[in-house]
Amino acid sequence: MATPRIIHLAQTISASVAKIQDVLTAQGLQTPSFDEDASHYLPLEVLEAQNAVLDATSELNDLLMEPMSMIHCLGGHNNSLCSQAITRFRIASLIPPGGTKSFAEIASQTPLSEQMVTRILRQAMSMRIFCEPEPGMVGHTKASRILVDPVTNDWLGAGTEELWPAATKVVDALEKWPGSEEPSETGFCLANNTTDSIYAFLGANPTRAARFGNAMVAYSKKPEFSPAYLTDHFDWSSLGAATVVHLGGGTGFYAMELAKKFADLKVVVQDMAFMMGPAEAGVPEELKGRVTFEAHDFFAPQIVNADVVFFRWVLRTWGDKYCIAALKAQLPMLKSGARVVVQDMILPEPGKGPFWKERAARSADMSLTAGFNSRDRTVDDWKTLFTAADEGFVLKSVAEPKGSALGILEFVWESKK
Ligand SMILES: C[S@@+](CC[C@H](N)C(=O)[O-])C[C@H]1O[C@@H](n2cnc3c(N)ncnc32)[C@H](O)[C@@H]1O
């Protein structure tokens, strides 16, 4: 008789956990815990075992539940409710690291009653955010402790104050504007009673824009967004003395990382006009002249004669027809043999790769619909998109570095004229 699935899963968990612990012991690293000072990341060597455990534990958990409980737990709207209260009232920062505060003391620093704070935080504790080391006293876990940092608190704020209300209106938006790719016809627009895109709406609201900006900062500090995945997983040195135009390059952080590592590269960062001042001010003396900034809307015809056109983490916020327009706008300046390099999310094909990652990727894809009417793309979707922009684009390489959140796609443009 074949081994029953739940036994197989339990065996996988047991064997993989043993492998993880062996590596941690050999390297003198802490075993995982929820302690507020616990380390957050496992070494890359245990990535496969970590994937196996995360997938097997969640499958085993779900197998042992009846369907309504499983759907309810995975739905999690009440998780967003208490996360929203935590970020809005900055509750994590009310509890001293390493110390505790009573529910009553916390309530006195919020508009909430002691009873409501108790109920909300005990719900959060069921998500392992905060703990109650003695009755009535609240302490940190590693999950609540990161929220003491205002930047990380803003990350939770952007998720629960911007994307969650937007998500609740997505189905209404899909009914109202079927098949729309317009950034002015999203769940976000309905939730905010606006016809401005999220970019324009937040641009006119500096406080909310700053919170959203901090969410991006919090993300980019995670090891899976390390600039090394950009500098070390594409052969930039083979380009020699080359000009890279970095579209939607924001503050120029990644442009500067490239220029620091590859002395022959010149990088022109193009972004919206309002990004220019603060971005230029951040360029160190030794990179001035090699990292420059230019206000340029990437839907307008390109004006820089570049060897590489580089998009990082930006095309995913535009629907297909807009991405196609942005790519077509590059054609007037492309030389035959020029490259378009994209570092962005690569959506996994269903069932390929770790399930917990696919689940996170599919959730992020829904957020793109809610905020932007855009989507994440598989390798085939990226290929289709580029070919729709111009038949001359050929996918030359795809890199999905171990541990990286983003992949790198390299397209070469061959003139068909
Ligand atoms: C998610 S951020 C990514 C920033 C940067 N590429 C990075 O990887 O950190 C998207 C960036 O694209 C810029 N952007 C969006 N639409 C644009 C457009 N039409 N033209 C130029 N820049 C644009 C935004 O201003 C923002 O800086």
Side-chain angles (χ1 to χ4, degrees), residues 174-218:
L174 296 176
E175 269 191 327
K176 187 169 167 134
W177 299 298
S180 175
E181 290 187 299
E182 297 305 323
S184 55
E185 296 177 346
T186 60
F188 180 88
C189 295
L190 287 184
N192 290 282
N193 201 17
T194 181
T195 49
D196 280 342
S197 71
I198 187 170
Y199 280 125
F201 185 86
L202 293 180
N205 190 323
T207 310
R208 284 171 66 177
R211 178 172 60 196
F212 211 84
N214 272 345
M216 295 296 123
V217 173

mmCIF file of all heavy atoms in Angstrom, residues 174-218:
data_model
loop_
_atom_site.group_PDB
_atom_site.id
_atom_site.type_symbol
_atom_site.label_atom_id
_atom_site.label_comp_id
_atom_site.label_asym_id
_atom_site.label_seq_id
_atom_site.Cartn_x
_atom_site.Cartn_y
_atom_site.Cartn_z
ATOM 1 N N LEU A 174 -14.319 45.157 -11.084
ATOM 2 C CA LEU A 174 -14.331 44.244 -12.236
ATOM 3 C C LEU A 174 -15.711 44.203 -12.887
ATOM 4 O O LEU A 174 -15.833 44.063 -14.104
ATOM 5 C CB LEU A 174 -13.913 42.830 -11.791
ATOM 6 C CG LEU A 174 -12.477 42.688 -11.272
ATOM 7 C CD1 LEU A 174 -12.218 41.265 -10.781
ATOM 8 C CD2 LEU A 174 -11.456 43.073 -12.342
ATOM 9 N N GLU A 175 -16.751 44.336 -12.050
ATOM 10 C CA GLU A 175 -18.118 44.359 -12.602
ATOM 11 C C GLU A 175 -18.389 45.663 -13.334
ATOM 12 O O GLU A 175 -19.014 45.683 -14.386
ATOM 13 C CB GLU A 175 -19.133 44.229 -11.459
ATOM 14 C CG GLU A 175 -19.498 42.791 -11.167
ATOM 15 C CD GLU A 175 -20.685 42.692 -10.239
ATOM 16 O OE1 GLU A 175 -20.853 43.572 -9.361
ATOM 17 O OE2 GLU A 175 -21.444 41.728 -10.383
ATOM 18 N N LYS A 176 -17.890 46.740 -12.749
ATOM 19 C CA LYS A 176 -18.173 48.069 -13.317
ATOM 20 C C LYS A 176 -17.384 48.306 -14.605
ATOM 21 O O LYS A 176 -17.897 48.900 -15.544
ATOM 22 C CB LYS A 176 -17.789 49.110 -12.259
ATOM 23 C CG LYS A 176 -18.170 50.529 -12.595
ATOM 24 C CD LYS A 176 -17.994 51.436 -11.376
ATOM 25 C CE LYS A 176 -18.074 52.872 -11.843
ATOM 26 N NZ LYS A 176 -18.827 53.762 -11.176
ATOM 27 N N TRP A 177 -16.125 47.845 -14.621
ATOM 28 C CA TRP A 177 -15.259 48.103 -15.789
ATOM 29 C C TRP A 177 -14.650 46.766 -16.260
ATOM 30 O O TRP A 177 -13.441 46.522 -16.092
ATOM 31 C CB TRP A 177 -14.111 49.041 -15.390
ATOM 32 C CG TRP A 177 -14.532 50.388 -14.889
ATOM 33 C CD1 TRP A 177 -15.219 51.345 -15.581
ATOM 34 C CD2 TRP A 177 -14.290 50.950 -13.581
ATOM 35 N NE1 TRP A 177 -15.403 52.463 -14.791
ATOM 36 C CE2 TRP A 177 -14.837 52.252 -13.569
ATOM 37 C CE3 TRP A 177 -13.651 50.499 -12.419
ATOM 38 C CZ2 TRP A 177 -14.786 53.084 -12.442
ATOM 39 C CZ3 TRP A 177 -13.585 51.339 -11.318
ATOM 40 C CH2 TRP A 177 -14.147 52.606 -11.328
ATOM 41 N N PRO A 178 -15.459 45.898 -16.868
ATOM 42 C CA PRO A 178 -14.939 44.562 -17.221
ATOM 43 C C PRO A 178 -13.713 44.644 -18.133
ATOM 44 O O PRO A 178 -13.703 45.412 -19.083
ATOM 45 C CB PRO A 178 -16.117 43.904 -17.964
ATOM 46 C CG PRO A 178 -17.311 44.750 -17.675
ATOM 47 C CD PRO A 178 -16.832 46.124 -17.309
ATOM 48 N N GLY A 179 -12.704 43.873 -17.777
ATOM 49 C CA GLY A 179 -11.508 43.760 -18.635
ATOM 50 C C GLY A 179 -10.630 44.997 -18.645
ATOM 51 O O GLY A 179 -9.683 45.084 -19.435
ATOM 52 N N SER A 180 -10.902 45.967 -17.773
ATOM 53 C CA SER A 180 -10.139 47.219 -17.842
ATOM 54 C C SER A 180 -8.680 47.022 -17.431
ATOM 55 O O SER A 180 -8.379 46.252 -16.515
ATOM 56 C CB SER A 180 -10.777 48.258 -16.915
ATOM 57 O OG SER A 180 -9.983 49.420 -16.878
ATOM 58 N N GLU A 181 -7.800 47.746 -18.122
ATOM 59 C CA GLU A 181 -6.383 47.814 -17.704
ATOM 60 C C GLU A 181 -6.047 49.235 -17.273
ATOM 61 O O GLU A 181 -4.888 49.591 -17.152
ATOM 62 C CB GLU A 181 -5.465 47.409 -18.864
ATOM 63 C CG GLU A 181 -5.536 45.940 -19.218
ATOM 64 C CD GLU A 181 -4.479 45.567 -20.255
ATOM 65 O OE1 GLU A 181 -4.504 46.122 -21.375
ATOM 66 O OE2 GLU A 181 -3.618 44.738 -19.937
ATOM 67 N N GLU A 182 -7.100 50.044 -17.092
ATOM 68 C CA GLU A 182 -6.869 51.452 -16.763
ATOM 69 C C GLU A 182 -6.543 51.618 -15.286
ATOM 70 O O GLU A 182 -7.294 51.130 -14.423
ATOM 71 C CB GLU A 182 -8.119 52.294 -17.095
ATOM 72 C CG GLU A 182 -8.479 52.320 -18.557
ATOM 73 C CD GLU A 182 -7.321 52.795 -19.434
ATOM 74 O OE1 GLU A 182 -6.577 53.688 -19.016
ATOM 75 O OE2 GLU A 182 -7.163 52.223 -20.532
ATOM 76 N N PRO A 183 -5.484 52.347 -14.955
ATOM 77 C CA PRO A 183 -5.165 52.584 -13.546
ATOM 78 C C PRO A 183 -6.186 53.497 -12.858
ATOM 79 O O PRO A 183 -6.152 53.648 -11.636
ATOM 80 C CB PRO A 183 -3.781 53.242 -13.594
ATOM 81 C CG PRO A 183 -3.605 53.725 -14.983
ATOM 82 C CD PRO A 183 -4.472 52.894 -15.874
ATOM 83 N N SER A 184 -7.105 54.055 -13.646
ATOM 84 C CA SER A 184 -8.138 54.926 -13.070
ATOM 85 C C SER A 184 -9.446 54.166 -12.840
ATOM 86 O O SER A 184 -10.471 54.773 -12.528
ATOM 87 C CB SER A 184 -8.390 56.090 -14.033
ATOM 88 O OG SER A 184 -8.721 55.557 -15.312
ATOM 89 N N GLU A 185 -9.420 52.846 -13.013
ATOM 90 C CA GLU A 185 -10.648 52.052 -12.872
ATOM 91 C C GLU A 185 -10.398 50.819 -11.983
ATOM 92 O O GLU A 185 -10.676 49.690 -12.360
ATOM 93 C CB GLU A 185 -11.144 51.620 -14.268
ATOM 94 C CG GLU A 185 -11.537 52.808 -15.129
ATOM 95 C CD GLU A 185 -11.959 52.440 -16.559
ATOM 96 O OE1 GLU A 185 -11.706 51.293 -17.007
ATOM 97 O OE2 GLU A 185 -12.528 53.314 -17.234
ATOM 98 N N THR A 186 -9.835 51.078 -10.802
ATOM 99 C CA THR A 186 -9.404 49.979 -9.929
ATOM 100 C C THR A 186 -10.240 49.912 -8.646
ATOM 101 O O THR A 186 -10.987 50.841 -8.332
ATOM 102 C CB THR A 186 -7.942 50.209 -9.488
ATOM 103 O OG1 THR A 186 -7.905 51.453 -8.774
ATOM 104 C CG2 THR A 186 -6.998 50.263 -10.665
ATOM 105 N N GLY A 187 -10.026 48.862 -7.892
ATOM 106 C CA GLY A 187 -10.594 48.773 -6.544
ATOM 107 C C GLY A 187 -10.113 49.946 -5.703
ATOM 108 O O GLY A 187 -10.871 50.510 -4.909
ATOM 109 N N PHE A 188 -8.846 50.317 -5.873
ATOM 110 C CA PHE A 188 -8.304 51.462 -5.132
ATOM 111 C C PHE A 188 -9.118 52.720 -5.443
ATOM 112 O O PHE A 188 -9.453 53.493 -4.547
ATOM 113 C CB PHE A 188 -6.828 51.688 -5.505
ATOM 114 C CG PHE A 188 -6.195 52.846 -4.773
ATOM 115 C CD1 PHE A 188 -5.592 52.664 -3.540
ATOM 116 C CD2 PHE A 188 -6.213 54.132 -5.324
ATOM 117 C CE1 PHE A 188 -5.024 53.747 -2.852
ATOM 118 C CE2 PHE A 188 -5.647 55.212 -4.648
ATOM 119 C CZ PHE A 188 -5.053 55.013 -3.403
ATOM 120 N N CYS A 189 -9.438 52.920 -6.734
ATOM 121 C CA CYS A 189 -10.207 54.109 -7.129
ATOM 122 C C CYS A 189 -11.577 54.097 -6.465
ATOM 123 O O CYS A 189 -12.017 55.118 -5.918
ATOM 124 C CB CYS A 189 -10.360 54.160 -8.653
ATOM 125 S SG CYS A 189 -8.799 54.387 -9.504
ATOM 126 N N LEU A 190 -12.254 52.950 -6.481
ATOM 127 C CA LEU A 190 -13.583 52.888 -5.856
ATOM 128 C C LEU A 190 -13.473 53.125 -4.349
ATOM 129 O O LEU A 190 -14.276 53.860 -3.772
ATOM 130 C CB LEU A 190 -14.246 51.531 -6.124
ATOM 131 C CG LEU A 190 -14.759 51.275 -7.543
ATOM 132 C CD1 LEU A 190 -15.481 49.919 -7.594
ATOM 133 C CD2 LEU A 190 -15.708 52.387 -8.011
ATOM 134 N N ALA A 191 -12.466 52.524 -3.718
ATOM 135 C CA ALA A 191 -12.331 52.667 -2.266
ATOM 136 C C ALA A 191 -12.056 54.116 -1.880
ATOM 137 O O ALA A 191 -12.391 54.546 -0.777
ATOM 138 C CB ALA A 191 -11.205 51.765 -1.749
ATOM 139 N N ASN A 192 -11.443 54.874 -2.799
ATOM 140 C CA ASN A 192 -11.088 56.263 -2.490
ATOM 141 C C ASN A 192 -11.949 57.275 -3.239
ATOM 142 O O ASN A 192 -11.663 58.475 -3.213
ATOM 143 C CB ASN A 192 -9.605 56.504 -2.811
ATOM 144 C CG ASN A 192 -8.701 55.779 -1.833
ATOM 145 O OD1 ASN A 192 -8.518 56.227 -0.715
ATOM 146 N ND2 ASN A 192 -8.183 54.621 -2.247
ATOM 147 N N ASN A 193 -12.986 56.746 -3.902
ATOM 148 C CA ASN A 193 -13.917 57.618 -4.607
ATOM 149 C C ASN A 193 -13.184 58.600 -5.531
ATOM 150 O O ASN A 193 -13.395 59.807 -5.465
ATOM 151 C CB ASN A 193 -14.770 58.372 -3.566
ATOM 152 C CG ASN A 193 -16.041 58.883 -4.185
ATOM 153 O OD1 ASN A 193 -16.432 58.411 -5.264
ATOM 154 N ND2 ASN A 193 -16.667 59.865 -3.546
ATOM 155 N N THR A 194 -12.265 58.046 -6.317
ATOM 156 C CA THR A 194 -11.461 58.900 -7.212
ATOM 157 C C THR A 194 -11.362 58.252 -8.587
ATOM 158 O O THR A 194 -11.563 57.040 -8.719
ATOM 159 C CB THR A 194 -10.026 59.076 -6.644
ATOM 160 O OG1 THR A 194 -9.276 59.917 -7.518
ATOM 161 C CG2 THR A 194 -9.279 57.755 -6.509
ATOM 162 N N THR A 195 -11.051 59.075 -9.586
ATOM 163 C CA THR A 195 -10.724 58.507 -10.904
ATOM 164 C C THR A 195 -9.244 58.749 -11.208
ATOM 165 O O THR A 195 -8.792 58.553 -12.331
ATOM 166 C CB THR A 195 -11.595 59.133 -12.023
ATOM 167 O OG1 THR A 195 -11.553 60.539 -11.880
ATOM 168 C CG2 THR A 195 -13.018 58.635 -11.974
ATOM 169 N N ASP A 196 -8.498 59.192 -10.192
ATOM 170 C CA ASP A 196 -7.046 59.303 -10.354
ATOM 171 C C ASP A 196 -6.413 57.931 -10.178
ATOM 172 O O ASP A 196 -6.914 57.119 -9.393
ATOM 173 C CB ASP A 196 -6.453 60.223 -9.274
ATOM 174 C CG ASP A 196 -6.647 61.691 -9.618
ATOM 175 O OD1 ASP A 196 -6.903 61.989 -10.801
ATOM 176 O OD2 ASP A 196 -6.540 62.514 -8.691
ATOM 177 N N SER A 197 -5.278 57.702 -10.852
ATOM 178 C CA SER A 197 -4.538 56.453 -10.610
ATOM 179 C C SER A 197 -3.953 56.521 -9.204
ATOM 180 O O SER A 197 -3.850 57.600 -8.610
ATOM 181 C CB SER A 197 -3.401 56.318 -11.621
ATOM 182 O OG SER A 197 -2.390 57.263 -11.312
ATOM 183 N N ILE A 198 -3.515 55.359 -8.693
ATOM 184 C CA ILE A 198 -2.915 55.342 -7.352
ATOM 185 C C ILE A 198 -1.691 56.257 -7.313
ATOM 186 O O ILE A 198 -1.454 56.964 -6.328
ATOM 187 C CB ILE A 198 -2.599 53.878 -6.917
ATOM 188 C CG1 ILE A 198 -2.145 53.817 -5.463
ATOM 189 C CG2 ILE A 198 -1.586 53.230 -7.811
ATOM 190 C CD1 ILE A 198 -2.066 52.389 -4.910
ATOM 191 N N TYR A 199 -0.896 56.281 -8.416
ATOM 192 C CA TYR A 199 0.288 57.147 -8.451
ATOM 193 C C TYR A 199 -0.141 58.616 -8.291
ATOM 194 O O TYR A 199 0.415 59.362 -7.485
ATOM 195 C CB TYR A 199 1.049 56.999 -9.781
ATOM 196 C CG TYR A 199 1.961 55.782 -9.888
ATOM 197 C CD1 TYR A 199 1.837 54.876 -10.934
ATOM 198 C CD2 TYR A 199 2.973 55.558 -8.962
ATOM 199 C CE1 TYR A 199 2.688 53.772 -11.052
ATOM 200 C CE2 TYR A 199 3.829 54.476 -9.070
ATOM 201 C CZ TYR A 199 3.680 53.576 -10.115
ATOM 202 O OH TYR A 199 4.521 52.502 -10.225
ATOM 203 N N ALA A 200 -1.158 59.034 -9.088
ATOM 204 C CA ALA A 200 -1.580 60.443 -9.045
ATOM 205 C C ALA A 200 -2.243 60.752 -7.700
ATOM 206 O O ALA A 200 -1.999 61.800 -7.103
ATOM 207 C CB ALA A 200 -2.543 60.722 -10.194
ATOM 208 N N PHE A 201 -3.070 59.834 -7.220
ATOM 209 C CA PHE A 201 -3.810 60.077 -5.974
ATOM 210 C C PHE A 201 -2.834 60.227 -4.805
ATOM 211 O O PHE A 201 -2.934 61.169 -4.021
ATOM 212 C CB PHE A 201 -4.773 58.913 -5.716
ATOM 213 C CG PHE A 201 -5.666 59.133 -4.530
ATOM 214 C CD1 PHE A 201 -6.863 59.831 -4.659
ATOM 215 C CD2 PHE A 201 -5.313 58.639 -3.279
ATOM 216 C CE1 PHE A 201 -7.686 60.030 -3.546
ATOM 217 C CE2 PHE A 201 -6.129 58.833 -2.173
ATOM 218 C CZ PHE A 201 -7.324 59.532 -2.309
ATOM 219 N N LEU A 202 -1.878 59.306 -4.700
ATOM 220 C CA LEU A 202 -0.932 59.392 -3.583
ATOM 221 C C LEU A 202 0.009 60.584 -3.779
ATOM 222 O O LEU A 202 0.418 61.225 -2.805
ATOM 223 C CB LEU A 202 -0.129 58.093 -3.434
ATOM 224 C CG LEU A 202 -0.949 56.861 -3.003
ATOM 225 C CD1 LEU A 202 -0.052 55.639 -2.882
ATOM 226 C CD2 LEU A 202 -1.678 57.091 -1.679
ATOM 227 N N GLY A 203 0.309 60.897 -5.053
ATOM 228 C CA GLY A 203 1.170 62.047 -5.333
ATOM 229 C C GLY A 203 0.573 63.336 -4.776
ATOM 230 O O GLY A 203 1.296 64.255 -4.396
ATOM 231 N N ALA A 204 -0.765 63.386 -4.716
ATOM 232 C CA ALA A 204 -1.415 64.598 -4.205
ATOM 233 C C ALA A 204 -1.651 64.505 -2.697
ATOM 234 O O ALA A 204 -2.293 65.369 -2.115
ATOM 235 C CB ALA A 204 -2.740 64.799 -4.936
ATOM 236 N N ASN A 205 -1.196 63.434 -2.069
ATOM 237 C CA ASN A 205 -1.423 63.240 -0.629
ATOM 238 C C ASN A 205 -0.098 62.833 0.024
ATOM 239 O O ASN A 205 0.204 61.644 0.185
ATOM 240 C CB ASN A 205 -2.490 62.138 -0.455
ATOM 241 C CG ASN A 205 -2.947 62.050 0.987
ATOM 242 O OD1 ASN A 205 -2.154 62.222 1.923
ATOM 243 N ND2 ASN A 205 -4.226 61.788 1.172
ATOM 244 N N PRO A 206 0.726 63.843 0.375
ATOM 245 C CA PRO A 206 2.103 63.549 0.799
ATOM 246 C C PRO A 206 2.198 62.574 1.975
ATOM 247 O O PRO A 206 3.115 61.742 2.002
ATOM 248 C CB PRO A 206 2.656 64.927 1.200
ATOM 249 C CG PRO A 206 1.772 65.929 0.551
ATOM 250 C CD PRO A 206 0.429 65.280 0.344
ATOM 251 N N THR A 207 1.248 62.636 2.930
ATOM 252 C CA THR A 207 1.370 61.742 4.091
ATOM 253 C C THR A 207 1.191 60.292 3.664
ATOM 254 O O THR A 207 1.977 59.407 4.036
ATOM 255 C CB THR A 207 0.293 62.103 5.152
ATOM 256 O OG1 THR A 207 0.367 63.503 5.363
ATOM 257 C CG2 THR A 207 0.515 61.374 6.447
ATOM 258 N N ARG A 208 0.165 60.069 2.842
ATOM 259 C CA ARG A 208 -0.068 58.685 2.392
ATOM 260 C C ARG A 208 1.020 58.243 1.416
ATOM 261 O O ARG A 208 1.425 57.081 1.390
ATOM 262 C CB ARG A 208 -1.472 58.564 1.789
ATOM 263 C CG ARG A 208 -2.535 58.546 2.899
ATOM 264 C CD ARG A 208 -3.939 58.653 2.361
ATOM 265 N NE ARG A 208 -4.342 57.503 1.564
ATOM 266 C CZ ARG A 208 -5.573 57.372 1.039
ATOM 267 N NH1 ARG A 208 -6.489 58.308 1.256
ATOM 268 N NH2 ARG A 208 -5.876 56.311 0.317
ATOM 269 N N ALA A 209 1.523 59.189 0.621
ATOM 270 C CA ALA A 209 2.613 58.833 -0.310
ATOM 271 C C ALA A 209 3.854 58.416 0.475
ATOM 272 O O ALA A 209 4.537 57.447 0.121
ATOM 273 C CB ALA A 209 2.934 60.015 -1.216
ATOM 274 N N ALA A 210 4.124 59.136 1.573
ATOM 275 C CA ALA A 210 5.317 58.810 2.376
ATOM 276 C C ALA A 210 5.154 57.421 2.996
ATOM 277 O O ALA A 210 6.114 56.632 3.040
ATOM 278 C CB ALA A 210 5.506 59.858 3.463
ATOM 279 N N ARG A 211 3.942 57.114 3.444
ATOM 280 C CA ARG A 211 3.708 55.778 4.021
ATOM 281 C C ARG A 211 3.936 54.703 2.955
ATOM 282 O O ARG A 211 4.586 53.682 3.213
ATOM 283 C CB ARG A 211 2.275 55.693 4.566
ATOM 284 C CG ARG A 211 1.943 54.323 5.128
ATOM 285 C CD ARG A 211 0.609 54.302 5.846
ATOM 286 N NE ARG A 211 -0.486 54.678 4.973
ATOM 287 C CZ ARG A 211 -1.691 55.025 5.403
ATOM 288 N NH1 ARG A 211 -1.952 55.087 6.697
ATOM 289 N NH2 ARG A 211 -2.650 55.333 4.543
ATOM 290 N N PHE A 212 3.430 54.945 1.755
ATOM 291 C CA PHE A 212 3.605 53.969 0.678
ATOM 292 C C PHE A 212 5.086 53.844 0.319
ATOM 293 O O PHE A 212 5.602 52.742 0.097
ATOM 294 C CB PHE A 212 2.793 54.402 -0.553
ATOM 295 C CG PHE A 212 2.296 53.248 -1.364
ATOM 296 C CD1 PHE A 212 1.118 52.596 -1.027
ATOM 297 C CD2 PHE A 212 3.020 52.783 -2.454
ATOM 298 C CE1 PHE A 212 0.659 51.515 -1.759
ATOM 299 C CE2 PHE A 212 2.570 51.698 -3.196
ATOM 300 C CZ PHE A 212 1.387 51.065 -2.847
ATOM 301 N N GLY A 213 5.757 54.995 0.292
ATOM 302 C CA GLY A 213 7.201 54.982 -0.004
ATOM 303 C C GLY A 213 7.948 54.162 1.032
ATOM 304 O O GLY A 213 8.855 53.383 0.692
ATOM 305 N N ASN A 214 7.570 54.311 2.297
ATOM 306 C CA ASN A 214 8.238 53.542 3.352
ATOM 307 C C ASN A 214 7.987 52.033 3.199
ATOM 308 O O ASN A 214 8.847 51.220 3.542
ATOM 309 C CB ASN A 214 7.752 54.005 4.737
ATOM 310 C CG ASN A 214 8.581 55.161 5.240
ATOM 311 O OD1 ASN A 214 9.655 55.441 4.709
ATOM 312 N ND2 ASN A 214 8.100 55.839 6.262
ATOM 313 N N ALA A 215 6.797 51.693 2.695
ATOM 314 C CA ALA A 215 6.522 50.260 2.468
ATOM 315 C C ALA A 215 7.530 49.700 1.466
ATOM 316 O O ALA A 215 8.050 48.583 1.632
ATOM 317 C CB ALA A 215 5.096 50.075 1.965
ATOM 318 N N MET A 216 7.846 50.500 0.432
ATOM 319 C CA MET A 216 8.832 50.065 -0.573
ATOM 320 C C MET A 216 10.216 49.934 0.068
ATOM 321 O O MET A 216 10.965 49.008 -0.203
ATOM 322 C CB MET A 216 8.910 51.079 -1.731
ATOM 323 C CG MET A 216 7.656 51.199 -2.554
ATOM 324 S SD MET A 216 7.280 49.661 -3.403
ATOM 325 C CE MET A 216 5.676 49.324 -2.807
ATOM 326 N N VAL A 217 10.533 50.908 0.953
ATOM 327 C CA VAL A 217 11.837 50.869 1.628
ATOM 328 C C VAL A 217 11.939 49.604 2.486
ATOM 329 O O VAL A 217 12.952 48.895 2.472
ATOM 330 C CB VAL A 217 12.033 52.138 2.506
ATOM 331 C CG1 VAL A 217 13.300 52.022 3.348
ATOM 332 C CG2 VAL A 217 12.085 53.382 1.630
ATOM 333 N N ALA A 218 10.850 49.301 3.221
ATOM 334 C CA ALA A 218 10.864 48.122 4.099
ATOM 335 C C ALA A 218 11.099 46.853 3.271
ATOM 336 O O ALA A 218 11.873 45.969 3.655
ATOM 337 C CB ALA A 218 9.543 48.021 4.870
#
